[in-house]
Amino acid sequence: AGSLMTTKHSQPQSTFAKSLTSTSTNTPYFKAAESTEIPSYVTKCPSNGLCSRLPPDCMTCNTNYSCIYGKPATFDCRVKPHVHCVDQNNHEQENFTINMTCQFCWQLATTDYVCTNSTNCMTVSCPRQRYNATCTVRDHIHCLGNRVFPKMLYCNWTGGYKWSTALALSITLGGFGADRFYLGQWREGLGKLFSFGGLGIWTLIDVLLIGVGYVGPADGSLYI
């Protein structure tokens, strides 16, 4: 495919080059524009920040895969072209070292990466369900291997239901099924409404179950 593209565009490029060389004033401007093109990764790199805090896209490091897992490791790094950073003394530098723990990205703490969320799995089911998430390491964290990786995570999302509201409704209007209606459990709510809260017994039980968090929203989400 590359050879085909080269053949296809070789003729227009040569014609364009001849038109530039025919006028001596155009050639320098063409070369200047080509040489000052800024790479796309520069937009991710903070200007004149600490070199050790640069995102991995802004540097090139000699990775040492022979380091001992869980032990501190040092990597020699160099900033990419058009990237400017400084050391602790505010002196600009190109070569520097990165100190990190020897571990792969998927072994990082949960606070070091961001994962996609799921809103279609049950969080109050037993056993608690998991879902396939795609996780991305935060920019200032350094690790070995792929910075984007799959991970199985526990369902943890909320539909906007408040535990305090559900408990208050269960105590005050639980005999009419208001707590179950609020949680989206319409069948149970109608059952409590027409049985006057199970003659009070069902109402007391629901106060306890909602109080300890055993009864939750019908959509399987968590309380706020």
Side-chain angles (χ1 to χ4, degrees):
S3 61
L4 290 176
M5 292 176 63
T6 304
T7 305
K8 181 178 179 180
H9 295 286
S10 60
Q11 183 62 29
Q13 288 178 351
S14 60
T15 305
F16 182 60
K18 289 179 181 179
S19 64
L20 290 174
T21 55
S22 61
T23 306
S24 58
T25 57
N26 290 341
T27 304
Y29 292 102
F30 176 76
K31 291 183 178 180
E34 185 179 27
S35 61
T36 57
E37 183 179 356
I38 299 177
S40 58
Y41 61 80
V42 175
T43 57
K44 303 179 182 179
C45 308
S47 179
N48 295 326
L50 288 176
C51 294
S52 58
R53 300 286 293 180
L54 284 175
D57 292 340
C58 306
M59 66 180 75
T60 303
C61 298
N62 296 326
T63 306
N64 180 15
Y65 285 98
S66 61
C67 61
I68 302 175
Y69 170 74
K71 300 294 184 180
T74 301
F75 298 89
D76 296 326
C77 302
R78 180 182 179 86
V79 294
K80 291 184 178 180
H82 302 283
V83 177
H84 303 280
C85 64
V86 297
D87 58 9
Q88 297 290 345
N89 298 322
N90 205 29
H91 295 153
E92 187 171 355
Q93 60 179 174
E94 294 183 356
N95 300 308
F96 56 96
T97 58
I98 290 292
N99 297 318
M100 54 174 275
T101 303
C102 181
Q103 60 184 347
F104 287 97
C105 295
W106 60 269
Q107 297 171 320
L108 291 171
T110 55
T111 55
D112 293 335
Y113 53 83
V114 179
C115 300
T116 56
N117 294 323
S118 175
T119 58
N120 57 4
C121 56
M122 301 290 289
T123 58
V124 294
S125 63
C126 186
R128 192 175 177 187
Q129 290 186 3
R130 297 183 180 222
Y131 70 96
N132 291 317
T134 301
C135 302
T136 304
V137 181
R138 298 184 185 275
D139 288 340
H140 65 280
I141 302 297
H142 299 277
C143 54
L144 302 177
N146 296 327
R147 298 185 62 81
V148 179
F149 53 90
K151 199 173 184 70
M152 291 289 294
L153 299 178
Y154 284 109
C155 298
N156 185 22
W157 68 284
T158 177
Y161 297 96
K162 292 184 178 180
W163 173 82
S164 58
T165 302
L167 182 61
L169 290 174
S170 183
I171 295 174
T172 58
L173 300 174
F176 301 98
D179 49 353
R180 294 284 183 163
F181 286 127
Y182 172 73
L183 296 175
Q185 302 176 8
W186 296 96
R187 294 179 180 178
E188 293 81 353
L190 291 174
K192 292 182 69 175
L193 177 62
F194 291 112
S195 65
F196 300 102
L199 299 179
I201 298 176
W202 194 350
T203 301
L204 294 176
I205 293 176
D206 270 358
V207 171
L208 294 176
L209 295 180
I210 293 177
V212 299
Y214 185 81
V215 173
D219 59 4
S221 64
L222 297 176
Y223 288 113
I224 297 178

